[in-house]
């Protein structure tokens, strides 16, 4: 027992030393599918190094395609831009899967180095051109402040579908659609959840728009409905990570055709180190309105924020708006134009709002809401009129279904709403029951055929034929 206790103490010491060491390796015997393995990999990293499923893919491709090296070459060739590996990989996945898959399970299971050798240069060239377009047209002021990076994928597919892959080849209607889709998607927070589905749907839609095709899925337009319906709604956004917060700052940049600095009225550009400056400085509000709970809760409101260079922001400090703006006027006599450019009421220079923070917020929120009305709300019906085309109500379409991992095909008559299956003309549900029996041998099934049979719509999406029942009604 004495010897065993000595050994126990020695082991305790060595275990302590082990856990203090720089490298602690763990070995796991894994028995899981690709999706679970990717999740395990991402969550089991050490030392705070951020790794994701793209790192697994990089290892898989290494035999014939060095993903890390290709990214380094791309960024060294265009040092002003940051290229997101996931955006490139998911775009390639969309192309390889014929517009059906962008999720990591498909990517890890199906993509190989041959696909990357085939599409890498083309996708990266389109990626760069999309960034050029977004900066040139003032949709984004810097990549750091881009609301959704995944929205780049549908734009890359749009560009890829245009003749000579050049935005100069799009017509005015296509440009109007891009503007509406871009701002509506941001303010509808379309990519905040289920972004893989949104990527596939929007990439298909934008590809068709590039080819001057119409949209037959009216539900697409309802997905772009925004939640902001009044200036008061704007006051609720105060976190810089929020997509609408970022969207508002970028929309001001877009509407002003490019934000300008406050020190010299020069145009801010993609390399500017920008901060979301408090127009009413934080410390000024805390000192001035320390007993006003409502005001203190609105310190970080987006209506009190604008993007300016970091150095300018530091110089402003804790002063009142009128004080620091008058000081800036000494080095920039055109500061009034800068304020207009940033959608800030010019009366702020004279101290009109120093004691009326809420009044200032309401005034600026109204100005911001007018932009949202102009570029989104007022455009909605025009976009629907230009690009919506009701689905056809006559003719036959190919339909299919899967049951017991087997696929069955048939023909659907849109007008009579009957299914031609296996030499018979049946009702939708009767055809579904018969198909199930032929595939499984079980005859006690009762099926809603409208949610059994599917078709491929013009956006290359799988949809239930229930769509056509709604059309008839």
């Amino acid at each position: 027992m004495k010897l065993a206790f000595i050994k126990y103490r020695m082991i305790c010491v060595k275990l302590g030393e082990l856990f203090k060491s720089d490298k602690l390796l763990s070995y796991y015997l894994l028995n899981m599918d690709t999706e679970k393995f990717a999740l395990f990999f991402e969550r089991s990293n050490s030392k705070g190094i951020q790794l994701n499923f793209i790192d697994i893919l990089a290892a898989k491709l290494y035999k014939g395609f060095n993903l890390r090296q290709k990214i380094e070459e791309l960024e060294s060739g265009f040092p002003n831009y940051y290229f997101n590996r996931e955006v490139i990989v998911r775009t390639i996945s969309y192309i390889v899967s014929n517009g059906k898959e962008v999720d990591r399970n498909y990517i890890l299971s199906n993509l190989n180095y041959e696909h990357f050798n085939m599409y890498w240069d083309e996708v990266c060239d389109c990626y760069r051109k999309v960034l050029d377009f977004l900066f040139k047209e003032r949709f984004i002021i810097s990549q750091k402040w881009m609301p959704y990076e995944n929205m780049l994928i549908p734009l890359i597919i749009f560009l890829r579908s245009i003749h000579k892959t050049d935005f100069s080849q799009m017509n005015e209607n296509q440009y109007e659609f891009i503007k509406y889709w871009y701002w509506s998607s941001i303010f509808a927070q379309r990519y905040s959840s289920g972004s893989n589905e949104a990527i596939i749907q929007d990439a298909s839609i934008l590809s068709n728009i590039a080819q001057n095709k119409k949209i037959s899925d009216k539900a697409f337009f309802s997905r772009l409905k925004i939640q902001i319906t009044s200036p008061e709604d704007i006051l609720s956004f105060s976190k810089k990570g929020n997509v609408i917060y970022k969207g508002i700052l970028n929309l001001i940049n877009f509407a002003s055709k490019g934000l300008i600095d406050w020190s010299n009225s020069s145009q801010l550009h993609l390399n500017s180190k920008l901060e979301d400056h408090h127009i009413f400085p934080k410390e000024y509000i805390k000192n001035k309105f320390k007993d006003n709970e409502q005001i203190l809760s609105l310190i970080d409101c987006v209506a009190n924020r604008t993007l300016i260079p970091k150095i300018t922001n530091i110089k402003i400090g804790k002063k009142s708006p009128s004080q620091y703006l008058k000081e800036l006027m000494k080095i920039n006599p055109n500061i009034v134009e800068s304020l207009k450019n940033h959608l800030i009421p010019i009366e702020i220079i004279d101290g009109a709002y120093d004691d009326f923070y809420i009044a200032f917020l309401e005034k600026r929120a109204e100005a911001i809401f007018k932009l949202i009305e102009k570029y989104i709300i007022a455009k909605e019906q025009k976009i629907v009129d230009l690009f919506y085309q009701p689905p056809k109500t006559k003719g036959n379409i190919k339909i299919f279904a899967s049951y017991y991992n087997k696929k069955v095909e048939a023909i659907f008559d849109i007008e009579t709403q009957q299914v031609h299956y296996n030499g018979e003309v049946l009702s939708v549900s009767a055809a579904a029951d018969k198909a199930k029996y032929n595939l499984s041998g079980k005859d006690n099934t009762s099926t809603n055929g409208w949610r059994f049979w599917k078709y491929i719509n013009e956006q290359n999406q799988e949809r239930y034929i229930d769509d056509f029942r709604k059309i008839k009604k």
Side-chain angles (χ1 to χ4, degrees):
M1 290 294 293
K2 184 176 180 180
L3 181 61
F5 184 69
I6 292 171
K7 288 182 178 179
Y8 165 75
R9 291 188 62 184
M10 289 173 62
I11 290 172
C12 286
V13 172
K14 289 187 177 294
L15 281 172
E17 292 172 352
L18 175 65
F19 284 112
K20 291 176 184 176
S21 63
D22 291 336
K23 293 183 179 179
L24 178 62
L25 302 181
S26 299
Y27 295 86
Y28 298 88
L29 181 63
L30 301 177
N31 181 18
M32 55 184 71
D33 61 27
T34 308
E35 181 73 14
K36 288 181 180 177
F37 174 71
L39 187 62
F40 170 86
F41 179 79
E42 292 173 7
R43 291 183 177 177
S44 61
N45 298 322
S46 61
K47 293 192 171 182
I49 300 171
Q50 186 175 359
L51 300 173
N52 60 23
F53 78 96
I54 301 296
D55 295 282
I56 305 175
L57 180 67
K60 176 185 174 183
L61 300 176
Y62 191 78
K63 175 185 174 183
F65 188 89
N66 191 327
L67 182 59
R68 292 189 182 91
Q69 181 182 327
K70 288 289 188 178
I71 284 289
E72 289 172 3
E73 291 173 358
L74 181 61
E75 292 183 335
S76 64
F78 303 97
N80 291 331
Y81 289 153
Y82 159 74
F83 294 91
N84 187 317
R85 299 182 304 170
E86 277 197 41
V87 167
I88 301 172
V89 169
R90 290 186 191 277
T91 305
I92 292 174
S93 177
Y94 178 89
I95 296 169
V96 172
S97 67
N98 293 316
K100 292 187 174 71
E101 303 287 349
V102 294
D103 66 275
R104 64 185 179 184
N105 189 42
Y106 176 86
I107 289 168
L108 292 174
S109 302
N110 294 277
L111 297 192
N112 57 49
Y113 66 84
E114 293 174 343
H115 296 135
F116 281 80
N117 285 324
M118 184 180 300
Y119 295 112
W120 180 267
D121 290 339
E122 179 190 0
V123 168
C124 289
D125 182 55
C126 288
Y127 192 160
R128 177 188 59 78
K129 288 178 179 178
V130 166
L131 289 176
D132 286 342
F133 170 75
L134 293 177
F135 281 117
K136 180 187 171 200
E137 298 299 316
R138 311 295 182 183
F139 285 98
I140 53 176
I141 191 169
S142 78
Q143 284 187 264
K144 176 186 174 183
W145 289 98
M146 187 183 301
Y148 288 123
E149 283 194 289
N150 277 337
M151 285 181 67
L152 294 170
I153 299 173
L155 287 170
I156 291 171
I157 298 301
F158 173 84
L159 181 60
R160 188 172 179 264
S161 303
I162 287 183
H163 179 59
K164 295 183 179 178
T165 61
D166 192 318
F167 279 103
S168 67
Q169 300 301 305
M170 68 179 174
N171 59 42
E172 184 62 21
N173 283 346
Q174 289 168 333
Y175 181 49
E176 286 296 313
F177 184 87
I178 289 291
K179 286 191 291 184
Y180 177 77
W181 166 80
Y182 183 82
W183 295 118
S184 295
S185 295
I186 291 170
F187 284 89
Q189 301 183 77
R190 175 151 166 73
Y191 284 71
S192 292
S193 61
S195 63
N196 284 351
E197 183 181 353
I199 290 169
I200 292 171
Q201 290 175 349
D202 290 4
S204 177
I205 291 285
L206 263 64
S207 176
N208 284 346
I209 295 297
Q211 299 170 63
N212 293 308
K213 296 179 182 178
K214 300 286 187 178
I215 299 170
S216 60
D217 181 12
K218 199 164 189 178
F220 169 77
F221 298 99
S222 66
R223 298 183 197 112
L224 298 179
K225 286 278 188 183
I226 67 173
Q227 304 302 312
I228 297 177
T229 58
S230 69
E232 289 75 24
D233 293 336
I234 291 168
L235 302 182
S236 64
F237 299 101
S238 59
K239 294 182 178 179
K240 64 173 64 181
N242 181 276
V243 68
I244 292 182
Y245 181 103
K246 291 180 177 179
I248 286 171
L249 297 178
N250 279 286
L251 183 59
I252 294 170
N253 174 65
F254 178 78
S256 65
K257 295 183 171 50
L259 293 178
I260 58 178
D261 198 356
W262 288 10
S263 298
N264 53 33
S265 297
S266 64
Q267 284 261 320
L268 300 177
H269 53 82
L270 64 98
N271 290 323
S272 301
K273 294 182 179 179
L274 303 176
E275 287 190 346
D276 48 339
H277 158 66
H278 287 77
I279 301 168
F280 271 67
K282 207 168 187 176
E283 293 305 315
Y284 173 78
I285 294 176
K286 286 181 179 178
N287 293 330
K288 181 80 174 176
F289 307 102
K290 58 185 176 183
D291 297 322
N292 191 317
E293 293 274 341
Q294 181 190 12
I295 288 178
L296 293 177
S297 69
L298 293 170
I299 286 179
D300 297 324
C301 171
V302 69
N304 186 38
R305 310 299 278 270
T306 196
L307 294 173
I308 60 174
K310 182 176 181 180
I311 296 175
T312 306
N313 196 11
I314 292 171
K315 290 178 180 178
I316 288 169
K318 307 175 183 179
K319 302 164 186 173
S320 69
S322 61
Q323 182 183 350
Y324 76 73
L325 287 170
K326 284 173 182 174
E327 291 175 3
L328 281 171
M329 189 180 287
K330 294 176 183 177
I331 59 174
N332 178 16
N334 295 321
I335 188 66
V336 170
E337 296 306 313
S338 296
L339 294 178
K340 290 179 182 177
N341 176 266
H342 286 253
L343 216 64
I344 297 170
I346 60 173
E347 297 85 1
I348 196 172
I349 292 183
D350 300 323
Y353 291 105
D354 281 358
D355 297 323
F356 303 99
Y357 178 61
I358 296 296
F360 164 78
L361 289 183
E362 290 174 346
K363 182 78 171 177
R364 192 157 189 258
E366 286 175 9
I368 292 169
F369 185 70
K370 284 180 181 178
L371 295 185
I372 295 171
E373 283 186 312
K374 177 179 178 180
Y375 292 106
I376 303 174
I377 299 172
K379 296 283 186 181
E380 180 182 349
Q381 191 56 52
K382 178 183 176 182
I383 294 297
V384 172
D385 292 342
L386 278 173
F387 294 99
Y388 175 65
Q389 178 176 291
K392 60 183 181 178
T393 57
K394 294 183 179 181
N396 297 332
I397 60 168
K398 292 181 180 180
I399 58 175
F400 63 93
S402 296
Y403 193 63
Y404 275 75
N405 294 321
K406 296 177 182 177
K407 187 174 181 180
V408 60
E409 296 180 342
I411 298 294
F412 177 66
D413 186 316
I414 298 173
E415 188 173 14
T416 65
Q417 300 205 337
Q418 291 182 308
V419 174
H420 297 252
Y421 172 68
N422 210 17
E424 296 183 76
V425 180
L426 305 166
S427 71
V428 170
S429 293
D433 289 340
K434 190 144 194 175
K436 279 188 174 183
Y437 173 74
N438 291 340
L439 295 175
S440 67
K442 298 179 180 180
D443 59 0
N444 59 345
T445 59
S446 179
T447 309
N448 178 357
W450 297 99
R451 305 291 291 177
F452 176 78
W453 297 105
K454 296 179 180 180
Y455 72 104
I456 303 294
N457 69 7
E458 293 174 0
Q459 282 73 52
N460 200 32
Q461 301 165 337
E462 290 186 5
R463 299 292 298 266
Y464 288 112
I465 61 170
D466 196 42
D467 287 356
F468 293 98
R469 180 163 58 173
K470 293 170 185 174
I471 292 169
K472 279 299 247 186
K473 288 179 181 179

